[in-house]
Amino acid sequence: MKIILFGATGMVGQGVLRECLLDAEVSDVLSIGRTATGQTHAKLHERLLADPSDLSSIEDELEGYDACFFCLGVTSSGMTEAAYRKIIYDLTIAVANTLGKHNPGLTFIFVTGAGTDSTERGRSMWARVKGQAENALLKMPFIAAYMFRPAIIRPMHGATSKTASYRFFYTVLGPLIPLLRLVFPRSVTTTENIGRAMLVVARRGAPNPIIESAEIDALAKTQAVART
């Protein structure tokens, strides 16, 4: 299986990349983003782009992939709706359109978040914009598209957020996440489980296109991952 990964340097993307590299059935991972992962692996190929929405310079490298794991995102804190939409909606849909042209059999998996607004009419700006992106992706002619909506995410295996406020949260409250998992088991998942669940869904699909934290954990457990 050949994977295209966006957002490999973010907290979720770090976990997803780790699981892809460990999976014996994954032969190639193409990481596309603005910054390097800092990793070296026989499966991993990186393409650094100042504007990841413009894939024209690497279009000849985009054919033959089975899935795209789109983990690229940004906090909406302090951003206008127009600026947030440019990243969450415009960039995502531009990438999806390009990949769809080259890979008609592609499975596209998009990481949004719990509370995403599918109606596109709610009061929360970030939830509306992510809902718009989800709805647009679900209408595109991929073989399948899935929206991952994790709530509280426990970073594992050294994964760290690029956002200062998130790093502060995990530094101060991170030790409490296992307790939160006991109290709210359906709301807490891990970077490891997100990566494993994506691989399961890329291989054999899932019953529903919207996948919340509890479903992410359930999918991650349904198949033992063969490790390299």
Side-chain angles (χ1 to χ4, degrees):
M1 184 162 60
K2 297 178 66 177
I3 306 295
I4 296 176
L5 174 60
F6 282 81
T9 60
M11 187 182 78
V12 171
Q14 291 168 43
V16 172
L17 176 59
R18 178 182 185 273
E19 297 308 310
C20 287
L21 297 179
L22 287 172
D23 193 308
E25 294 183 13
V26 174
S27 60
D28 294 275
V29 180
L30 174 61
S31 172
I32 301 175
R34 295 185 180 92
T35 56
T37 64
Q39 297 195 45
T40 301
H41 195 284
K43 296 180 184 181
L44 177 62
H45 308 279
E46 298 191 58
R47 295 295 179 265
L48 303 183
L49 302 174
D51 179 5
S53 68
D54 181 4
L55 303 177
S56 57
S57 63
I58 59 169
E59 281 203 53
D60 59 343
E61 303 176 38
L62 300 178
E63 294 186 358
Y65 285 87
D66 301 292
C68 175
F69 297 163
F70 200 92
C71 308
L72 194 156
V74 65
T75 177
S76 63
S77 178
M79 297 186 73
T80 64
E81 182 164 349
Y84 188 68
R85 179 184 172 86
K86 185 174 181 180
I87 297 172
I88 298 300
Y89 183 92
D90 295 348
L91 189 156
T92 304
I93 301 308
V95 166
N97 279 324
T98 300
L99 295 184
K101 290 190 301 182
H102 295 278
N103 300 278
L106 191 79
T107 294
F108 196 100
I109 299 178
F110 180 47
V111 179
T112 56
T116 294
D117 179 14
S118 296
T119 72
E120 306 180 22
R121 297 190 299 269
R123 298 179 64 183
S124 174
M125 179 272 281
W126 74 263
R128 285 197 312 272
V129 174
K130 287 193 171 184
Q132 291 165 6
E134 283 191 352
N135 290 338
L137 290 169
L138 290 170
K139 293 175 183 176
M140 297 183 75
F142 295 117
I143 191 170
Y146 296 94
M147 311 297 119
F148 272 45
R149 293 183 178 181
I152 300 170
I153 303 171
R154 179 186 177 190
M156 298 183 66
H157 309 295
T160 56
S161 176
K162 296 170 71 175
T163 304
S165 60
Y166 291 174
R167 289 198 303 272
F168 176 80
F169 170 83
Y170 286 112
T171 299
V172 176
L173 299 179
L176 298 178
I177 292 181
L179 177 60
L180 290 174
R181 192 179 182 96
L182 290 174
V183 178
F184 306 105
R186 296 184 62 83
S187 298
V188 181
T189 187
T190 68
T191 52
E192 180 179 83
N193 279 355
I194 292 172
R196 291 185 177 184
M198 284 187 176
L199 290 165
V200 170
V201 171
R203 286 189 182 98
R204 55 182 176 81
N208 300 303
I210 305 296
I211 301 176
E212 309 278 356
S213 285
E215 288 74 30
I216 289 171
D217 285 352
L219 284 164
K221 295 175 184 177
T222 58
Q223 182 174 318
V225 180
R227 297 303 179 95
T228 54

